[in-house]
């Protein structure tokens, strides 16, 4: 019995080891096997065509994207395949099936609602015969309040109010006092709003000065140099390794065309492949037919990004951003600053007594 139990445990352990080994192999393949890509760009007149392909591990993963534009209309399409299985087509088919089922259910519910409406209309005839009876029978009378007493009370109130109305001097004094109160409130509101605006401006200037001091520090300068170096290496890895074809351009002004050609000549030695640049000094034109190829190994951008994120100065920068955001939120809510600044040249009482 014990031997059978140990045999079962050994088989389970072997299966788990195989599963872990397969997962590790897939992760290593994903990280160290390059993703190849190829992009074809073509522009002739008003027609623009762009075709992109991405594949990995002998087309185990394959993706196609197409874009066409001619005149004012444009079309785009794409497909993703894993082991030759079109995933987007399967997803679209499932969506179509769900939409078809939803339309069928809506039609069934609509038919049920029609039958229910016809039955309710048939019952409506019986309900129309049994209406509510009037609340007052023909022989009864309804109590109506005596309006003469109410009119007399209203007239009496009007007489009392007329007798108690102040004179013109009292009304003029009340208006003057109310005007002074409004002016005083407006002045107080103006000074409070001005003080709040000055406080916000002072807080903003303090934050700006603090950020300027931090950005000019030596630690941030070293971090900036390291981050720019890593980003440049990442772009060098992602950008195409070969560019073939031609690009023809021209403007109405030959001088401007020559200036653009000079700018292109600065970067032309760094362009890999056999790209031809054809300037046209006679007419305004922009045509191109290029073929771009390259590859991306996922471990390279992952390592570059991890070097930036795991840097100590990056954590300090994120901490400063969060702290400044929370302090700015507190000041915008109107919370007073509890921290007291020590004034220079003032000695505390205890030290002075000593």
């Amino acid at each position: 019995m014990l031997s059978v139990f140990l045999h079962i445990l050994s088989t389970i352990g072997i299966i788990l080891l195989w599963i872990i080994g397969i997962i590790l192999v897939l992760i290593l393949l994903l990280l160290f096997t390059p993703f190849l890509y190829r992009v074809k760009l073509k522009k002739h007149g008003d027609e623009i065509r762009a075709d992109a392909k991405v594949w990995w591990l002998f087309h185990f993963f394959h993706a196609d994207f197409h874009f066409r534009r001619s005149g004012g209309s444009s079309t785009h399409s794409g497909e993703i395949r894993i082991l030759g299985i079109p995933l987007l087509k399967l997803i679209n088919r499932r969506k179509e099936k769900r939409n078809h089922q939803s339309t069928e259910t809506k039609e069934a519910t609509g038919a049920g609602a029609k039958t229910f409406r016809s039955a309710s209309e048939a019952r409506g005839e019986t309900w129309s015969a049994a209406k509510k009876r009037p609340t007052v029978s023909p022989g009864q009378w309804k109590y109506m309040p005596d309006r003469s007493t109410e009119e007399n009370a209203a007239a009496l109130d009007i007489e009392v109010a007329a007798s108690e109305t102040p004179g013109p001097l009292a009304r003029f004094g009340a208006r003057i006092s109310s005007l002074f109160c409004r002016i005083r409130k407006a002045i107080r509101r103006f000074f409070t709003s001005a003080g709040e605006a000055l406080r916000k401006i002072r807080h903003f200037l303090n934050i700006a000065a603090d950020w300027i001091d931090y950005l000019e520090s030596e630690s941030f300068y070293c971090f900036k140099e390291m981050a720019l170096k890593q980003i440049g290496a990442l772009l060098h890895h992602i950008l195409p390794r070969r560019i073939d074809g031609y690009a023809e351009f021209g403007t109405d002004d030959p001088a401007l065309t020559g200036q653009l050609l000079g700018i292109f000549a600065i970067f032309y030695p760094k362009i890999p492949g056999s790209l031809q640049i054809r300037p046209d000094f006679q007419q305004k034109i922009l045509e191109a037919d290029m073929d771009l190829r390259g590859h991306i190994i996922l471990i390279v951008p992952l390592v570059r990004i991890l070097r930036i994120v795991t840097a100590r100065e990056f954590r300090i920068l994120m901490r400063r951003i969060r702290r400044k955001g929370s302090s700015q939120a507190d000041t915008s809510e109107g919370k007073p600053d509890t921290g007291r600044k020590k004034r220079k040249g003032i000695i505390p009482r205890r030290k002075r007594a000593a």
Side-chain angles (χ1 to χ4, degrees):
M1 185 70 183
L2 184 61
S3 61
V4 175
F5 181 70
L6 292 175
H7 182 69
I8 292 170
L9 288 178
S10 64
T11 53
I12 292 171
I14 291 168
I15 291 169
L16 290 176
L17 287 175
W18 272 101
I19 292 170
I20 293 170
I22 291 168
I23 292 171
L24 288 175
V25 169
L26 289 175
I27 291 172
L28 291 175
L29 287 174
L30 185 65
L31 291 176
F32 292 96
T33 305
F35 283 81
L36 305 176
Y37 68 88
R38 185 174 183 178
V39 181
K40 290 184 178 181
L41 300 174
K42 187 175 181 181
K43 184 182 184 301
H44 184 73
D46 295 335
E47 183 182 2
I48 300 174
R49 298 178 62 183
D51 300 323
K53 294 181 181 180
V54 181
W55 65 93
W56 174 72
L57 196 64
F58 303 106
H59 294 274
F60 177 85
F61 171 83
H62 187 88
D64 292 331
F65 302 99
H66 306 282
F67 177 78
R68 301 286 185 275
R69 183 177 181 180
S70 60
S73 62
S74 61
T75 59
H76 58 87
S77 61
E79 187 57 59
I80 298 175
R81 296 175 182 271
I82 296 178
L83 290 175
I85 300 171
L87 297 181
L88 295 180
K89 286 184 179 180
L90 294 176
I91 293 170
N92 292 329
R93 287 177 184 176
R94 288 185 179 180
K95 286 182 179 179
E96 289 176 358
K97 287 182 180 179
R98 289 177 182 175
N99 293 330
H100 183 66
Q101 291 176 358
S102 62
T103 52
E104 288 182 353
T105 53
K106 285 180 181 178
E107 290 177 357
T109 52
K114 287 180 181 179
T115 56
F116 180 76
R117 196 180 296 111
S118 62
S120 62
E121 288 176 357
R123 291 196 191 110
E125 297 178 356
T126 58
W127 282 101
S128 60
K131 290 183 177 179
K132 292 183 179 181
R133 296 180 180 179
T135 55
V136 180
S137 61
Q140 291 179 350
W141 58 276
K142 224 174 179 182
Y143 171 75
M144 299 295 291
D146 190 3
R147 294 186 178 179
S148 60
T149 57
E150 294 179 357
E151 291 176 357
N152 293 330
L156 183 61
D157 293 337
I158 291 169
E159 291 178 358
V160 171
S163 63
E164 292 178 356
T165 52
L169 294 175
R171 284 182 291 176
F172 181 73
R175 289 179 182 179
I176 292 295
S177 62
S178 64
L179 180 62
F180 276 110
C181 289
R182 290 177 184 177
I183 292 171
R184 185 176 57 193
K185 288 180 181 179
I187 293 170
R188 188 182 299 170
R189 195 181 303 113
F190 172 75
F191 280 107
T192 53
S193 60
E196 186 69 21
L198 289 174
R199 189 175 63 83
K200 289 182 179 179
I201 291 169
R202 192 183 301 113
H203 180 70
F204 177 76
L205 292 176
N206 292 331
I207 291 174
D210 190 12
W211 272 106
I212 289 170
D213 294 338
Y214 173 71
L215 295 176
E216 291 179 352
S217 62
E218 186 178 357
S219 60
F220 181 79
Y221 179 78
C222 296
F223 171 71
K224 182 180 69 174
E225 292 293 328
M226 186 270 293
L228 291 176
K229 185 178 178 181
Q230 297 298 327
I231 292 170
L234 178 61
L235 292 176
H236 179 72
H237 178 73
I238 292 174
L239 289 175
R241 302 298 177 93
R242 187 173 181 83
I243 302 175
D244 299 326
Y246 72 93
E248 185 176 0
F249 71 97
T251 60
D252 296 333
D253 188 4
L256 181 59
T257 305
Q259 291 176 2
L260 293 175
L261 182 62
I263 294 171
F264 291 151
I266 297 172
F267 301 100
Y268 186 77
K270 297 183 179 181
I271 297 175
S274 59
L275 179 65
Q276 299 178 4
I277 297 177
R278 304 172 185 174
D280 192 345
F281 296 93
Q282 302 295 329
Q283 59 180 344
K284 184 178 180 180
I285 189 173
L286 180 60
E287 293 184 357
D289 188 1
M290 295 186 292
D291 187 4
L292 294 79
R293 300 180 185 182
H295 67 269
I296 300 172
I297 302 173
L298 289 183
I299 190 66
V300 176
L302 185 63
V303 170
R304 302 294 181 184
I305 294 170
L306 284 176
R307 284 182 182 177
I308 296 173
V309 173
T310 56
R312 179 175 174 272
E313 196 64 29
F314 180 79
R315 295 194 297 271
I316 293 172
L317 179 62
M318 292 294 105
R319 199 178 300 122
R320 286 178 65 88
I321 291 171
R322 292 171 185 171
R323 186 173 69 249
K324 295 300 179 183
S326 62
S327 63
Q328 188 174 2
D330 293 340
T331 54
S332 63
E333 289 176 0
K335 295 182 180 179
D337 190 6
T338 57
R340 296 180 179 177
K341 296 182 180 180
K342 296 181 179 180
R343 297 181 181 178
K344 296 182 180 179
I346 296 176
I347 304 171
R349 291 181 180 178
R350 294 180 181 177
K351 293 184 178 181
R352 188 181 295 173

